[in-house]
Amino acid sequence: MSVAVHTCNLSTSGGQRSARPGVQDQPGQHHGDPCLQNIKSVFVSFFQRNVGSSQFKTIEDDLVSALVRSGCIPENHGEDMRKMSFQRCARTDKGVSAAGQVVSLKVWLIEDILEKINSHLPSHIRILGLKRVTGGFNSKNRCDARTYCYLLPTFAFAHKDRDVQDETYRLSAETLQQVNRLLACYKGTHNFHNFTSQKGPQDPSACRYILEMYCEEPFVREGLEFAVIRVKGQSFMMHQIRKMVGLVVAIVKGYAPESVLERSWGTEKVDVPKAPGLGLVLERVHFEKYNQRFGNDGLHEPLDWAQEEGKVAAFKEEHIYPTIIGTERDERSMAQWLSTLPIHNFSATALTAGGTGAKVPSPLEGSEGDGDTD
């Protein structure tokens, strides 16, 4: 059956895809003609703390191994994922977690399928839902937008004259208002060539459409105040979100003028700092056009995962947020990064070659194929 799967995952390691030795046929597993029934959408959550070495398994390694062991797919499909039409909705860079990833694949609909798959997954990866979708469904191509959140200690917004890691700092209403005013500047279509690597200002794929970006009210954990920044966009490039956050932090702290925001969307090369990857989480993927067309046709369910919201919130509170907060306390990644901001030169620019006629896509256009690589 063709399905979309919603997963949560908290990954302890990562690297290149590796072989899966020792996977044996399980009792009750299908044999013979490996023709799977249909495509499904699978909702996955995971926490990820990748070390970037090829000796460690990826989230997909663990997921595919669990699918084989539970009898949902034949073993040879685990070695060649194209045979089950496997497609992730969004890619995540090493160290980036996901509270709401969706993958599509063909599976056998066995009894108690969610329970059986999860029984073969480590605790940091959970499949929270599974829904039938249309034939030929591709979770990446059908996705209208992605929402990420970024959890950071609020001392990141303290003025540069303050101690770089003042745990007594509390975000004032005025500073929060300033942060949200700056984040709102990202809304709309802009040329984000300065917010990624290996893309020039004339590359049409550097133009991305942001629907919303804002910072929520802060909260205190273990004596340290944190806040969550949320951003929803059609698609994102490598490191784009981390640089969007990094530039706003640099402005609020007083290292960069507000004018650098608009300059960064022009043809000049601008030095944009990249915030640490620790706090970045893929929170939700959106299928609004698909839902409008197929969600109420009597054959398919809308891919909104509303019934799984409680499970997602619980997974974030139990796995994702505590690990990010604990790691920040142990490794001080934000404080160490903040100490590098003075070396950035926000006034230096280098004019790029060529004209300024890059095509800006319509807000209604879909992903340009890069997927979410932040």
Side-chain angles (χ1 to χ4, degrees):
M1 170 162 281
S2 198
V3 299
V5 186
H6 184 173
T7 68
C8 281
N9 94 46
L10 184 160
S11 162
T12 55
S13 63
Q16 303 300 314
R17 282 188 49 77
S18 58
R20 305 173 190 86
V23 177
Q24 304 294 328
D25 288 348
Q26 300 297 310
Q29 182 168 324
H30 297 255
H31 295 276
D33 182 7
C35 181
L36 304 186
Q37 294 174 305
N38 193 324
I39 292 177
K40 285 281 184 183
S41 175
V42 184
F43 186 53
V44 190
S45 292
F46 58 88
F47 176 81
Q48 185 159 269
R49 282 288 290 144
N50 290 342
V51 297
S53 171
S54 60
Q55 65 178 305
F56 293 97
K57 294 192 298 181
T58 65
I59 299 299
E60 288 176 9
D61 287 325
D62 285 325
L63 179 58
V64 171
S65 176
L67 291 169
V68 172
R69 292 177 181 276
S70 61
C72 293
I73 61 171
E75 184 174 356
N76 65 333
H77 285 206
E79 299 300 327
D80 185 357
M81 298 168 71
R82 293 173 297 181
K83 292 182 179 180
M84 59 175 163
S85 303
F86 185 96
Q87 179 62 58
R88 76 186 77 76
C89 183
R91 295 196 298 268
T92 52
D93 199 8
K94 68 177 184 178
V96 178
S97 303
Q101 173 71 290
V102 170
V103 301
S104 52
L105 69 156
K106 295 180 179 179
V107 298
W108 284 308
L109 280 186
I110 62 175
E111 188 175 354
D112 299 324
I113 183 170
L114 291 183
E115 291 79 3
K116 288 181 179 177
I117 297 174
N118 281 325
S119 71
H120 294 287
L121 286 171
S123 61
H124 64 270
I125 307 174
R126 277 296 170 265
I127 293 181
L128 302 184
L130 180 148
K131 294 185 179 183
R132 180 178 181 176
V133 290
T134 56
F137 178 88
N138 182 300
S139 59
K140 177 182 176 183
N141 294 341
R142 284 286 189 178
C143 181
D144 302 305
R146 289 92 172 160
T147 295
Y148 283 80
C149 67
Y150 189 88
L151 177 66
L152 77 168
T154 59
F155 64 68
F157 297 120
H159 192 269
K160 62 182 180 180
D161 293 336
R162 251 183 118 130
D163 178 17
V164 72
Q165 189 177 10
D166 182 358
E167 296 192 1
T168 66
Y169 177 81
R170 295 297 180 261
L171 188 65
S172 68
E174 293 76 18
T175 302
L176 178 59
Q177 186 178 23
Q178 180 192 14
V179 169
N180 277 321
R181 178 174 56 81
L182 293 169
L183 292 175
C185 293
Y186 287 120
K187 291 172 63 175
T189 301
H190 300 287
N191 190 328
F192 285 100
H193 72 96
N194 278 309
F195 293 77
T196 189
S197 59
Q198 300 179 337
K199 285 188 187 291
Q202 309 309 317
D203 189 337
S205 68
C207 294
R208 300 292 165 128
Y209 180 60
I210 305 300
L211 289 91
E212 62 179 6
M213 191 169 187
Y214 59 93
C215 182
E216 297 182 340
E217 291 288 334
F219 58 90
V220 176
R221 293 286 175 85
E222 301 179 18
L224 189 59
E225 188 178 69
F226 288 84
V228 173
I229 294 174
R230 281 193 166 79
V231 55
K232 179 181 180 182
Q234 283 185 332
S235 60
F236 298 92
M237 298 176 291
M238 178 76 76
H239 305 319
Q240 180 184 339
I241 298 172
R242 292 167 60 186
K243 283 177 172 280
M244 292 167 73
V245 172
L247 189 55
V248 167
V249 168
I251 294 171
V252 173
K253 292 188 76 66
Y255 287 110
E258 290 191 18
S259 60
V260 75
L261 261 178
E262 193 148 347
R263 274 182 34 233
S264 69
W265 302 321
T267 58
E268 297 176 333
K269 185 65 177 176
V270 177
D271 184 9
V272 178
K274 180 176 64 179
L278 174 64
L280 188 60
V281 179
L282 173 62
E283 185 162 76
R284 184 188 302 268
V285 290
H286 305 266
F287 298 91
E288 291 156 8
K289 291 180 183 176
Y290 174 88
N291 290 341
Q292 290 174 3
R293 183 172 180 182
F294 300 107
N296 297 305
D297 64 359
L299 297 175
H300 307 94
E301 301 173 80
L303 299 180
D304 58 14
W305 311 105
Q307 295 181 349
E308 286 75 24
E309 287 297 330
K311 296 178 183 177
V312 174
F315 188 89
K316 287 193 295 186
E317 289 296 327
E318 182 178 353
H319 292 285
I320 296 180
Y321 285 176
T323 305
I324 291 175
I325 292 169
T327 304
E328 175 60 40
R329 277 200 165 280
D330 293 340
E331 300 180 2
R332 302 179 67 249
S333 60
M334 179 57 70
Q336 291 182 31
W337 173 76
L338 291 173
S339 67
T340 69
L341 287 180
I343 68 175
H344 287 269
N345 188 344
F346 297 100
S347 61
T349 59
L351 290 176
T352 57
T356 59
K359 174 183 177 289
V360 177
S362 161
L364 297 179
E365 290 180 8
S367 170
E368 281 125 20
D370 293 324
D372 291 22
T373 56
D374 211 318

Coordinates of all heavy atoms in Angstrom, one line a residue, residues 134-135 137 142 144 287-303:
T134 N -2.5 8.9 -2.6 CA -2.8 8.6 -3.9 C -1.7 7.8 -4.6 O -0.5 7.9 -4.1 CB -3.0 9.9 -4.8 OG1 -1.9 10.7 -4.6 CG2 -4.3 10.6 -4.3
G135 N -1.9 7.1 -5.6 CA -0.9 6.3 -6.3 C 0.1 7.3 -6.9 O -0.2 8.4 -7.4
F137 N 2.2 9.1 -5.2 CA 2.4 10.2 -4.3 C 3.9 10.3 -4.0 O 4.6 9.3 -3.7 CB 1.6 9.9 -3.0 CG 1.8 11.0 -2.0 CD1 1.0 12.1 -1.9 CD2 2.8 10.8 -1.0 CE1 1.2 13.1 -1.0 CE2 3.0 11.8 0.0 CZ 2.2 12.9 0.0
R142 N 5.0 16.9 -3.3 CA 3.7 17.3 -2.9 C 3.7 18.3 -1.8 O 2.6 18.9 -1.4 CB 2.8 16.1 -2.5 CG 2.3 15.2 -3.7 CD 1.2 16.0 -4.4 NE 0.6 15.1 -5.4 CZ -0.5 15.5 -6.1 NH1 -1.0 16.7 -6.0 NH2 -1.0 14.7 -7.0
D144 N 3.9 21.6 0.2 CA 3.8 23.0 -0.1 C 4.8 23.9 0.7 O 5.2 24.9 0.2 CB 2.4 23.5 0.3 CG 1.3 22.7 -0.5 OD1 1.4 22.7 -1.7 OD2 0.4 22.2 0.2
F287 N 0.9 20.0 3.4 CA 0.4 19.5 2.2 C -1.0 20.1 1.8 O -2.0 19.4 1.6 CB 0.2 18.0 2.2 CG 1.5 17.2 2.5 CD1 1.9 17.0 3.8 CD2 2.3 16.8 1.4 CE1 3.1 16.3 4.0 CE2 3.5 16.2 1.7 CZ 3.9 15.9 2.9
E288 N -1.0 21.4 1.8 CA -2.3 22.1 1.7 C -3.0 21.9 0.4 O -4.2 21.7 0.3 CB -2.1 23.6 2.0 CG -1.7 23.9 3.5 CD -1.0 25.2 3.7 OE1 -0.8 26.0 2.7 OE2 -0.5 25.4 4.8
K289 N -2.3 22.0 -0.7 CA -2.9 21.8 -2.1 C -3.3 20.3 -2.2 O -4.4 20.1 -2.8 CB -1.9 22.1 -3.2 CG -1.5 23.6 -3.2 CD -0.5 23.9 -4.4 CE -0.2 25.3 -4.4 NZ 0.9 25.6 -5.5
Y290 N -2.5 19.4 -1.7 CA -3.0 18.0 -1.8 C -4.2 17.8 -1.0 O -5.2 17.1 -1.5 CB -1.8 17.1 -1.2 CG -2.2 15.6 -1.1 CD1 -2.0 14.8 -2.2 CD2 -2.8 15.1 0.1 CE1 -2.4 13.4 -2.1 CE2 -3.1 13.8 0.2 CZ -3.0 13.0 -0.9 OH -3.3 11.6 -0.8
N291 N -4.3 18.4 0.2 CA -5.5 18.2 1.0 C -6.7 18.8 0.4 O -7.8 18.3 0.5 CB -5.3 18.9 2.4 CG -4.3 18.1 3.2 OD1 -4.0 16.9 3.0 ND2 -3.7 18.7 4.2
Q292 N -6.6 19.9 -0.3 CA -7.7 20.6 -1.0 C -8.2 19.7 -2.1 O -9.4 19.6 -2.3 CB -7.3 21.9 -1.6 CG -7.0 23.0 -0.5 CD -6.5 24.3 -1.1 OE1 -6.3 24.4 -2.3 NE2 -6.1 25.2 -0.3
R293 N -7.3 19.0 -2.8 CA -7.8 18.2 -3.9 C -8.2 16.8 -3.5 O -9.2 16.2 -4.0 CB -6.6 18.0 -4.9 CG -7.0 17.3 -6.2 CD -5.9 17.3 -7.2 NE -6.3 16.6 -8.4 CZ -5.5 16.5 -9.5 NH1 -4.3 17.0 -9.5 NH2 -5.9 15.7 -10.5
F294 N -7.5 16.1 -2.5 CA -7.8 14.7 -2.2 C -8.3 14.5 -0.8 O -8.7 13.4 -0.5 CB -6.5 13.9 -2.5 CG -6.0 13.9 -3.9 CD1 -4.9 14.6 -4.2 CD2 -6.7 13.3 -4.9 CE1 -4.4 14.7 -5.5 CE2 -6.2 13.3 -6.2 CZ -5.1 14.0 -6.5
G295 N -8.1 15.5 0.1 CA -8.4 15.3 1.5 C -9.8 14.9 1.8 O -10.1 14.3 2.9
N296 N -10.8 15.3 1.0 CA -12.2 15.0 1.3 C -12.8 14.3 0.1 O -14.0 14.5 -0.2 CB -12.9 16.4 1.5 CG -12.4 17.1 2.8 OD1 -12.4 16.5 3.9 ND2 -12.0 18.3 2.6
D297 N -12.1 13.5 -0.6 CA -12.6 12.8 -1.8 C -13.3 11.5 -1.4 O -13.8 10.7 -2.3 CB -11.5 12.5 -2.8 CG -10.4 11.6 -2.3 OD1 -10.5 11.2 -1.2 OD2 -9.5 11.3 -3.1
G298 N -13.3 11.1 -0.1 CA -13.9 9.9 0.3 C -13.0 8.7 0.3 O -13.4 7.6 0.8
L299 N -11.9 8.8 -0.3 CA -10.9 7.7 -0.4 C -9.6 7.9 0.4 O -9.0 7.0 0.8 CB -10.5 7.5 -1.9 CG -11.6 7.1 -2.9 CD1 -11.1 7.0 -4.3 CD2 -12.2 5.7 -2.5
H300 N -9.3 9.2 0.6 CA -8.0 9.5 1.2 C -8.3 10.5 2.4 O -9.2 11.3 2.4 CB -7.0 10.1 0.2 CG -6.8 9.3 -1.0 ND1 -7.5 9.5 -2.2 CD2 -6.0 8.3 -1.2 CE1 -7.1 8.6 -3.1 NE2 -6.2 7.9 -2.5
E301 N -7.4 10.4 3.4 CA -7.4 11.3 4.5 C -6.6 12.5 4.3 O -5.5 12.4 3.6 CB -6.9 10.6 5.8 CG -7.7 9.3 6.2 CD -7.0 8.6 7.3 OE1 -7.1 9.1 8.5 OE2 -6.2 7.7 7.1
P302 N -6.9 13.7 4.8 CA -6.0 14.8 4.7 C -4.8 14.6 5.4 O -4.7 14.0 6.5 CB -6.9 16.0 5.3 CG -7.9 15.3 6.2 CD -8.2 14.0 5.5
L303 N -3.7 15.1 4.9 CA -2.4 14.9 5.6 C -2.1 16.1 6.5 O -1.3 17.0 6.2 CB -1.3 14.8 4.5 CG -1.4 13.6 3.6 CD1 -0.2 13.6 2.6 CD2 -1.4 12.3 4.3

